[in-house]
Amino acid sequence: MAFTKENKFTPFNKKIWLSTPTMHGDELVWMRDAFDKNWMSTIGENINEIESEIATKIGCKYAVALSSGTSSLHLAIKLAGVGQGDRVFCSDMTFSATVNPILYEGGIPIFIDTERDTWNMDPNALEKAFCLYPDVKHIVVANLYGTPCKMEEIRKIANKHNATIIEDAAESLGATYKGKQTGILGDIGIISFNGNKIITGSSGGMLLTNDIERANKARKWSTQSRDNAPWYQHEEIGYNYRMSNVIAGVVRGQLPYLEDHIAKKKEIYERYKEGFKGLPVSMNPYDNVNSNPNFWLSCLLIDENAMCKQVRSDQDYCYIKEKGKTCPSEILETLAKYNAEGRPIWKPMHMQPIFRMNGFVTCEGYGRGRTNAYIEGNGLDVGMDIFNRGLCLPSDNKMTEKDQQVIIEIIRACFD
Ligand SMILES: *Cc1c(COP(=O)(O)O)cnc(C)c1O
């Protein structure tokens, strides 16, 4: 791969990814251990060990090892008592896995718009939402791209309305907020070990809590809700959600490298920030006084006045190139051309076809109707605006400094 003064790029011969697993070798030791001891099961030493290590790392009393972040969220939603027809306030700009478990339990998500300081749930919009729906008792809040949300403000509002907070820390393992680890900032938390997260088990997740009854219930539900009887006996619905001891071995091998992964991700973020100096852009923001993100994904936001015209429908997009201006579609297309993977910002839930009938609340109150068009000037809610002007950059820990420099040049050239 080369970048020359004539602005000629040749594609990377090895694809530069958004975010892939970074293995170290210790993972194999513990997988092997499971194999050698024949605990090729959902019981075993790796599970017990990683549950206790994660609980210590996070600073919570109990960590329950489950098959995914999504199954962990499902049990969290169930533990919190969300039932048929219950409205639940939920982050709007997030991955759909934050929301789906609410629907598994028959709940109705009401989406809360995003604020500009951390790209997470806007406490002012949440306050407005309680005016519109005063009887809501549950809030699901995510820490997008590894950046902690404004939990103190959200907590105050939740307390005022006696609402339970479920924290989706799937993307933010290792990030801290006011000196505390994310994942235990709400009443029940979850993390994920999916393949693209900051550390991985190839899959897997955990439910985090300080309440022993909640931990015991989650553990029981996750193993088919077997009662304490000489035969298979059940008083409740069960699930097959327990983590495998082999997966737990992978996570056990990864955990010692969490801080190392975060340091690398932070370097990537800082290099982008430095490399984009002078361009009409900003990086995904965070509260540098109260929080330390894990910098899982680096993102770019193009200034409004540097956006060329871009329109997105549910399936397609088009844009009109203008001198000195660009848009996420052009940058993503260009990155792909050179064999590098970027991604659009997670498309807000209130813009998703499946949720078109669900409530959506901005800090001004009722949300505007669903529209995918970019309107200059601009009449968009915050989530829509960030989706229109933002994108996720290649943030893989194995990308070299030189590769990243080329990525930066490729993106700079889009502004020509
Ligand atoms: C990845 C992710 C999940 C789901 O975790 P899985 O382990 O993939 O099931 C949930 N919420 C968010 C915000 C995520 O990014």
Side-chain angles (χ1 to χ4, degrees):
M1 174 73 204
F3 169 71
T4 67
K5 286 221 173 64
E6 301 80 52
N7 249 350
K8 288 214 172 70
F9 308 99
T10 52
F12 292 99
N13 42 35
K14 218 174 135 216
K15 184 162 180 171
I16 308 291
W17 298 94
L18 188 75
S19 182
T20 60
T22 303
M23 293 291 127
H24 302 275
D26 309 30
E27 301 85 357
L28 267 177
V29 174
W30 299 116
M31 286 165 76
R32 177 95 220 169
D33 188 70
F35 185 93
D36 289 344
K37 294 176 178 159
N38 204 32
W39 287 110
M40 301 297 281
S41 173
T42 47
I43 309 173
E45 214 177 285
N46 286 334
I47 299 176
N48 303 339
E49 199 47 45
I50 195 61
E51 282 188 340
S52 119
E53 283 176 20
I54 288 283
T56 305
K57 168 74 193 175
I58 302 282
C60 64
K61 287 198 184 135
Y62 310 99
V64 182
L66 300 169
S67 55
S68 66
T70 309
S71 56
S72 306
L73 265 166
H74 184 193
L75 296 191
I77 295 285
K78 210 172 138 84
L79 280 174
V82 173
Q84 199 68 35
D86 291 349
R87 291 194 178 97
V88 177
F89 293 147
C90 187
S91 289
D92 179 57
M93 203 167 78
T94 183
F95 184 55
S96 64
T98 307
V99 186
N100 284 332
I102 297 170
L103 289 110
Y104 300 166
E105 288 303 304
I108 304 166
I110 307 283
F111 301 110
I112 309 297
D113 199 14
T114 306
E115 39 84 2
R116 296 197 182 271
D117 303 335
T118 77
W119 289 9
N120 284 305
M121 181 184 282
D122 183 347
N124 293 318
L126 181 65
E127 186 91 67
K128 271 279 180 336
F130 273 110
C131 301
L132 297 167
Y133 308 95
D135 50 357
V136 168
K137 287 286 166 261
H138 302 96
I139 303 166
V140 181
V141 58
N143 302 309
L144 194 76
Y145 303 136
T147 302
C149 68
K150 294 185 174 179
M151 192 56 100
E152 194 167 278
E153 290 88 335
I154 291 171
R155 166 59 70 192
K156 267 192 204 133
I157 299 166
N159 286 352
K160 207 161 80 187
H161 298 277
N162 240 331
T164 303
I165 300 174
I166 294 154
E167 185 191 15
D168 178 355
E171 299 177 1
S172 68
L173 178 59
T176 63
Y177 173 82
K178 303 203 170 179
K180 277 177 84 176
Q181 290 280 322
T182 60
I184 197 60
L185 303 173
D187 297 295
I188 311 173
I190 74 99
I191 52 177
S192 163
F193 302 115
N194 187 342
N196 66 0
K197 301 298 200 289
I198 191 91
I199 61 169
T200 183
S202 72
S203 67
M206 280 195 192
L207 183 142
L208 310 172
T209 175
N210 285 323
D211 182 328
I212 190 162
E213 274 177 38
R214 280 180 172 157
N216 285 342
K217 261 192 194 165
R219 217 167 257 135
K220 184 177 173 191
W221 289 343
S222 74
T223 50
Q224 307 287 19
S225 294
R226 288 167 63 173
D227 291 336
N228 193 6
W231 37 78
Y232 286 142
Q233 179 154 305
H234 310 275
E235 287 179 9
E236 291 175 283
I237 288 187
Y239 303 86
N240 183 3
Y241 278 175
R242 193 69 166 141
M243 182 184 279
S244 142
N245 192 48
V246 180
I247 300 286
V250 183
V251 181
R252 199 175 167 188
Q254 284 263 290
L255 187 58
Y257 297 93
L258 173 60
E259 295 306 324
D260 172 64
H261 287 194
I262 294 173
K264 288 222 169 62
K265 293 276 191 185
K266 184 170 184 182
E267 281 170 24
I268 291 170
Y269 180 95
E270 296 295 344
R271 273 202 291 272
Y272 275 131
K273 197 166 186 171
E274 185 63 32
F276 293 141
K277 271 202 176 133
L279 284 185
V281 300
S282 53
M283 298 287 294
N284 47 329
Y286 64 97
D287 174 351
N288 63 2
V289 178
N290 294 308
S291 78
N292 290 302
N294 71 5
F295 300 95
W296 176 54
L297 291 189
S298 289
C299 304
L300 189 69
L301 187 72
I302 301 167
D303 289 357
E304 249 173 82
N305 58 15
M307 277 285 290
C308 68
K309 283 204 174 65
Q310 170 194 250
V311 178
R312 284 165 165 168
S313 73
D314 278 344
Q315 307 288 340
D316 303 301
Y317 65 89
C318 77
Y319 63 90
I320 303 169
K321 177 68 186 165
E322 290 174 66
K323 204 174 156 39
K325 296 184 176 189
T326 186
C327 62
S329 300
E330 187 191 15
I331 295 177
L332 290 169
E333 240 179 45
T334 311
L335 286 173
K337 203 166 79 187
Y338 293 105
N339 205 19
E341 185 189 32
R343 201 163 287 182
I345 295 296
W346 295 183
K347 185 174 177 176
M349 291 299 122
H350 79 282
M351 296 171 73
Q352 299 288 352
I354 185 174
F355 296 125
R356 64 191 171 276
M357 300 305 283
N358 287 64
F360 170 63
V361 185
T362 70
C363 63
E364 285 154 24
Y366 285 109
R368 299 181 177 87
R370 172 172 165 265
T371 153
N372 293 338
Y374 179 79
I375 309 158
E376 232 164 329
N378 69 31
L380 301 183
D381 54 70
V382 177
M384 228 177 221
D385 182 43
I386 295 173
F387 175 65
N388 270 296
R389 295 193 285 125
L391 69 140
C392 306
L393 300 164
S395 307
D396 195 31
N397 269 347
K398 290 166 298 315
M399 170 171 68
T400 66
E401 240 183 284
K402 232 174 105 197
D403 289 342
Q404 194 180 350
Q405 226 47 57
V406 176
I407 301 267
I408 289 168
E409 293 304 331
I410 289 172
I411 292 172
R412 293 194 77 96
C414 290
F415 286 86
D416 288 350

